[in-house]
Every structure is written in C-alpha cells, then in structure tokens.
Amino acid sequence: MQTTLTPSAAEAAAILNEGGVVAFPTETVYGLGASICHPEAINQIFRAKGRPSDNPLIVHIANVEQLEDVVTEITPDAARLIECFFPGPLTLVLRKHPRVPETVTAGLQTVGIRCPSNAVAREFLRLAHYPVAAPSANRSGLPSATNWEAVYQDLNGKIDAVLCGTPSAIGLESTIVDCSCSTPLLLRAGSITLEQLKEVVPEITVATKGDQASAPKSPGLKYPHYAPKATIILYHPGEVPVTTAVFASIGITEPPTGVALYKQCTTLDEYGHELFSFFRRCDTEGIETIYCELPSNEGLGRAIRDRLMRAAGHV
Ligand code: AMP
Ligand code: MG
C-alpha cells in the first residue's frame, strides 16, 4: 500500500470518506483514523498497528452536537465535563449508540468519545462524513507518535495517508473518564488533571489496579505501552543515580552524572511534551538505557508517572 503524505485536511478527509485509514494531528498525540461506517478500514487500523482486537478505539467527533449520533445518554456529570473541557484533551466513556459498531468498541456497550481542539483535526473531522474511530498512530506497544515523521516511521506502507500537521502541542494521550457508571472514574491520567476534574465533579474516583485486574474497565490499559527499545530506569528527584557509562536521561532536575544524551526540562508541561519524542530519539541513536525522573503524583505529574511506569514495564 502506498502511503500518501499530505498537508491538506480536504485531501485526507476525501481518502477517509472513501474507506481509507488516515493518520491526523491532534493536540494530544497523532491519531490513526477510520470512518465508523467503513468496517474494513476499522479492521485495517488493528492490523496496521498490531493492536489486540479487545482494545477499543476512541471515537472522534467534530463538535458537541455530533455526540447524539454516537451515545444514547449524556449523564449530568458528563454534561458538566463536556461544558468545561470539550473541545480538548478529554475522552468520556458513555453508553454507545447502536450505530457505533462493536468492532470499534471491542464488544463493549460503552464508547470513548473525544472532540479534539487542534484546528487541523477539527477541519478534518468536519469534512469527514461520519465520526472517526482513532487510536494513537503508532505500532502497538511503542511510544505514541507526537509528530508526522514518527507516524510515517511506524506505519509507512500500512495506512493510506498521513495528514501532516505540526507536532502535538501536549504530547501525552487524552485523560479518560468513565461516565457510564454511577460514580465517574478516572481511567487514564492526562493533561486535564484529576485536580481540574474534581473542581467540576468532586466525586470522581481513580480506577485502582485492583479494578483493572478484576474487570478491566479500559482493556487497553492491561497491555504494555509507550516503551522504547531501551531499558528504563526510574528515579526520584532526590535520589539522582550515578552512572558509569553512556546513557540517556530525561527529567526536571539535573541529570545523573555520566550521562551523555539528556533532556532537562524546566516544567512538567515540557516533560510531558518531550517524553515520547525523546524515547524515539534514543531508539534512533541505539541507546540501551534511559534514566527517567519520576515526578510527584500531582497535577500533570500523575500522567507523566503513569506513562513512565508503563514504559518501564510496571503494567
Ligand atoms: P489509544 O487511543 O491508543 O491511546 O487507546 C485508547 C484507550 O482508550 C485504550 O486504553 C482503551 O482501552 C480506552 N478506551 C477506548 N474505548 C473505551 C471504552 N469504551 N471503555 C473504556 N476504555 C476505552
Ligand atoms: Mg495508544
């Protein structure tokens, strides 16, 4: 399959509307989209990514009005969250409308919905004839792609097109909140923080490892994820390790002594933004060990910690 690279949302949407699989930029990470009305294109997403078929896809909409096409009920909590955070980096899990195929939701009767704020994504989704199912545009298990070059590296020849926009402004996947149960549940941390969510829905709780093990609420979270080829060693800011060879390091405070390639970030925003592109750069340079500072579990630190722990294999 020939993969077209295009800067045109209109050309990308035309390919999608004909049943193609098209990667597109969003503010979180690049997404790999197919129309929910093209079953063969949905299957191609799973094949291209090497994604297990029990891992549901998030459905992307162009505007809040499209919600009623894909869900049967908007709960009062969901309505409040939509009011505050749509369009933006938040995915809400709600009861699915019968027109959303079970191949998209991996057999679940709920569906994850997101309305991105990125202008190119919105134009692309506006021109799409139907809502667009899209997981992250990377090979399953690898770090998410935060620029079109990373998408192309992973998926060239396996997808129909890449809509080439700017690098993702946030660089971490969306926050996921399950609003299909009686108390909203934070399934995946992201740049909309638990503290921000609690200001709107104070009762929200965090899904525990126990919840996930007994009845995985978000099937994708049981798989290894975000991992570069290198081994990842996590450390706390106060315990900067001393290394003896050439390694790579990313974090907020001074990197460990002896590190050759490092990315020292000044803010958590920058840390989240740089994390996956740093991992990919380390792979390109053949780095075998990456030291990563674990931020505290507050604010954006929660999402960065989550990605680091998974990348390090602590599923
Ligand atoms: P990705 O887009 O690759 O970041 O993966 C999408 C994530 O959303 C995975 O972790 C899925 O398990 C999760 N997800 C999608 N749909 C649902 C749903 N209906 N219920 C719970 N989690 C979902
Ligand atoms: Mg993913």
Side-chain angles (χ1 to χ4, degrees):
M1 178 187 298
Q2 177 86 25
T3 301
T4 302
L5 296 176
T6 176
S8 157
E11 187 184 355
I15 295 171
L16 180 100
N17 288 332
E18 282 160 18
V21 174
V22 179
F24 62 101
T26 85
E27 69 277 18
T28 57
V29 299
Y30 270 66
L32 183 61
S35 165
I36 63 166
C37 294
H38 283 284
E40 191 39 47
I42 299 292
N43 291 337
Q44 182 59 25
I45 287 183
F46 286 92
R47 282 198 297 270
K49 280 184 62 91
R51 185 175 177 99
S53 58
D54 69 349
N55 191 355
L57 311 181
I58 292 171
V59 171
H60 291 66
I61 53 176
N63 50 57
V64 174
E65 290 68 52
Q66 258 191 324
L67 262 173
E68 64 191 41
D69 298 339
V70 285
V71 303
T72 52
E73 190 200 353
I74 300 171
T75 61
D77 287 331
R80 269 180 238 126
L81 292 168
I82 289 164
E83 172 84 23
C84 292
F85 301 116
F86 272 30
L90 177 67
T91 297
L92 293 181
V93 172
L94 292 162
R95 308 282 317 163
K96 84 171 190 72
H97 194 285
R99 78 164 60 85
V100 178
E102 288 195 11
T103 41
V104 169
T105 64
L108 298 177
Q109 292 311 306
T110 56
V111 60
I113 304 292
R114 189 161 102 77
C115 180
S117 60
N118 174 286
V120 176
R122 297 201 77 186
E123 177 67 356
F124 172 69
L125 293 169
R126 189 180 68 77
L127 296 168
H129 295 158
Y130 299 98
V132 173
S136 53
N138 53 281
R139 288 281 299 169
S140 222
L142 299 188
S144 297
T146 56
N147 52 54
W148 69 260
E149 292 90 341
V151 177
Y152 194 66
Q153 189 181 41
D154 272 19
L155 300 171
N156 178 25
K158 298 188 170 76
I159 62 177
D160 295 285
V162 181
L163 172 52
C164 301
T166 53
S168 301
I170 295 169
L172 296 173
E173 305 78 3
S174 60
T175 305
I176 305 182
V177 176
D178 186 353
C179 286
S180 70
C181 36
S182 51
T183 311
L185 203 57
L186 177 66
L187 297 182
R188 178 171 75 186
S191 70
I192 292 180
T193 64
L194 178 62
E195 293 84 347
Q196 286 174 298
L197 294 167
K198 278 192 168 164
E199 280 178 26
V200 184
V201 180
E203 318 78 61
I204 191 166
T205 54
V206 180
T208 61
K209 279 198 183 125
D211 289 343
Q212 294 287 356
S214 57
K217 289 268 181 195
S218 197
L221 298 179
K222 69 177 186 259
Y223 293 107
H225 228 121
Y226 319 120
K229 293 194 189 89
T231 301
I232 294 203
I233 298 178
L234 304 174
Y235 66 91
H236 296 280
E239 309 165 348
V240 181
V242 176
T243 75
T244 52
V246 179
F247 296 121
S249 160
I250 184 167
I252 304 268
T253 55
E254 282 277 297
T257 321
V259 164
L261 172 72
Y262 59 84
K263 177 86 206 167
Q264 192 180 350
C265 307
T266 49
T267 60
L268 283 175
D269 282 339
E270 187 186 357
Y271 196 171
H273 185 257
E274 298 297 319
L275 185 64
F276 292 139
S277 59
F278 185 76
F279 281 176
R280 282 178 176 267
R281 182 172 156 211
C282 289
D283 275 354
T284 306
E285 302 204 10
I287 299 276
E288 289 175 5
T289 311
I290 310 174
Y291 283 80
C292 303
E293 180 181 330
L294 260 183
S296 76
N297 212 11
E298 285 147 30
L300 185 60
R302 178 180 290 274
I304 297 172
R305 275 178 80 99
D306 168 73
R307 305 310 188 269
L308 289 173
M309 308 274 269
R310 288 173 197 282
H314 305 280
V315 180

